[in-house]
Amino acid sequence: MTFHDPAAALLCAVQAARAAGKLMRANLRSAKKINAATQHDIKLELDVRCQKTIERLLRRAYPQVPILGEEGIVGDPEAPVRWVVDPIDGTVNFSYGIPHACVSIALQQKVPGSGFRVPGSPRRTAELGTRNPEPGNSAFQSIVGVVYDPFTEELWTAIRGEPARLNGKVIRVSRRTKLNVAIVALGFAKNRSTLDRMLPTFDGLIHRVRKIRIMGAAALSLVYVATGRMDAYVEYGLRLWDIAGLQ
């Protein structure tokens, strides 16, 4: 299956992202039901509800396209075309009432000639990423991307081969070229191994850049880089749904 109308898919993804964002706005200050929690991560009932909202709208328009989401999978994620969804990126921020979180949705298409499948759970696709060279992982590229911040009403959109946009206006990365004037965002993922890897990175950058920022929502930090607000983003242990809408 080849997607011949990415503009229509983009409109559908925007509609779904706005619907999930509306739920996020309505519940920012509400008490949150926690489905699971670890030392460095929280899973909310609202994560699931937002993903179900997104799934309903995407499946209504494209019933044949599977969905690979942080909160579950619908259909075969190794199909030639798939949606990749992060219903709330920045869940910990959101659960604490911090209005810095977003919805991220991508439509991905399998790269011709990549016919491998990921052994075991379909979730391995997300854990390995989209272009891992190891055998057993299909290669995908994003053809449509949406990141929506419902608290600032900022909507980033992109179609492969066209300029990325923020609220309809073309964006570009920063023109700063020197590290000592750069703002660099960092992310500390939830696993001990990735946390330990980030600490030397933090130590190595803190005295060389203008400022370090740790914002707590990878997709938003990445679109901030794309918009020129920040100059780079560094994190180990990112998952596919964190980055698919920005590839």
Side-chain angles (χ1 to χ4, degrees), residues 196-231:
D196 289 344
R197 286 184 70 191
M198 278 305 302
L199 290 172
T201 302
F202 178 90
D203 289 340
L205 284 172
I206 189 66
H207 295 298
R208 301 176 64 194
V209 300
R210 176 140 289 160
K211 284 292 182 181
I212 293 285
R213 292 288 180 254
I214 303 172
M215 310 288 281
L220 277 181
S221 289
L222 286 165
V223 291
Y224 278 24
V225 172
T227 312
R229 295 173 180 174
M230 298 191 296
D231 300 283

Side-chain angles (χ1 to χ4, degrees), residues 115-159:
F116 299 113
R117 291 183 63 85
V118 179
S121 166
R123 190 164 289 269
R124 285 286 289 159
T125 302
E127 292 171 352
L128 290 171
T130 60
R131 289 188 173 273
N132 193 306
E134 297 177 7
N137 184 39
S138 298
F140 285 81
Q141 64 180 12
S142 297
I143 55 177
V144 164
V146 171
V147 174
Y148 176 53
D149 182 343
F151 307 110
T152 62
E153 285 288 354
E154 291 185 309
L155 176 72
W156 286 265
T157 56
I159 294 174

